[in-house]
Amino acid sequence: MEDLVGIGKVSESIEKGTRELRQLAYDFLSPGVKEAGQLIAQKIRFYSLPNSISALKKAKNQIDESGLSLHPVDLKTLVPLLEYASLEDDESMVDKWAGLLASAATCDTPMTAYVHILAELSAVDAKIFDFICNTVDVTNESDEIQI
């Protein structure tokens, strides 16, 4: 097919000119952006490391107190769990992450879905769930909820 109007040549020259501009922008901006990103990531890791350590220690204490045996947690569960725990600014939520980690390390049931559910909860949401779990009794034989 012939380019009768010459749009193809115009388009090629615009693409070539913008390619050079994009490359120059990348050459000048890329190192600075990478460094800034790495600096921010380091600060976040430094800030969040204590929460990860706290969650690990609390989980280990819960497991020791329970007398259950510890087994390795699959990375698909462990990595996001520790990452989410590290970002918490509420100690009660760090406790929730520690409890989930302790459960994952003592159960054979995969906990991956629970990690993502807990990540969506605020501290207030978690307290509401605690209240419901502590006041609602569904253990009766008629399967009726009793408060």
Side-chain angles (χ1 to χ4, degrees):
M1 188 151 81
E2 254 181 75
D3 183 11
L4 298 175
V5 184
I7 293 177
K9 291 185 187 229
V10 171
S11 147
E12 285 176 23
S13 56
I14 290 173
E15 204 282 317
K16 182 181 178 189
T18 59
R19 184 181 330 129
E20 291 171 5
L21 179 62
R22 286 190 314 255
Q23 186 59 47
L24 284 169
Y26 179 80
D27 291 344
F28 282 100
L29 296 175
S30 180
V33 171
K34 280 184 185 177
E35 289 296 321
Q38 289 173 351
L39 180 63
I40 291 168
Q42 280 181 327
K43 288 185 179 204
I44 290 171
R45 279 189 214 106
F46 180 76
Y47 168 76
S48 62
L49 185 61
N51 282 350
S52 295
I53 293 170
S54 175
L56 287 165
K57 286 180 179 178
K58 289 177 179 187
K60 177 72 168 108
N61 287 340
Q62 289 176 13
I63 293 167
D64 290 345
E65 289 173 8
S66 73
L68 297 171
S69 59
L70 174 93
H71 63 77
V73 177
D74 65 301
L75 290 177
K76 191 174 179 181
T77 299
L78 183 64
V79 171
L81 190 151
L82 289 176
E83 184 177 337
Y84 286 127
S86 73
L87 299 175
E88 291 296 343
D89 55 1
D90 187 297
E91 193 63 28
S92 69
M93 289 303 290
V94 175
D95 292 342
K96 298 288 182 211
W97 288 109
L100 185 55
L101 178 56
S103 293
T106 56
C107 297
D108 292 328
T109 307
M111 298 285 171
T112 308
Y114 298 112
V115 170
H116 298 290
I117 293 168
L118 184 55
E120 295 297 320
L121 299 180
S122 69
V124 173
D125 295 333
K127 288 175 184 165
I128 291 169
F129 277 113
D130 284 344
F131 174 77
I132 292 169
C133 290
N134 291 327
T135 52
V136 174
D137 178 21
V138 291
T139 58
N140 60 16
E141 292 180 18
S142 65
D143 289 333
E144 294 176 9
I145 296 176
Q146 295 182 0
I147 298 177

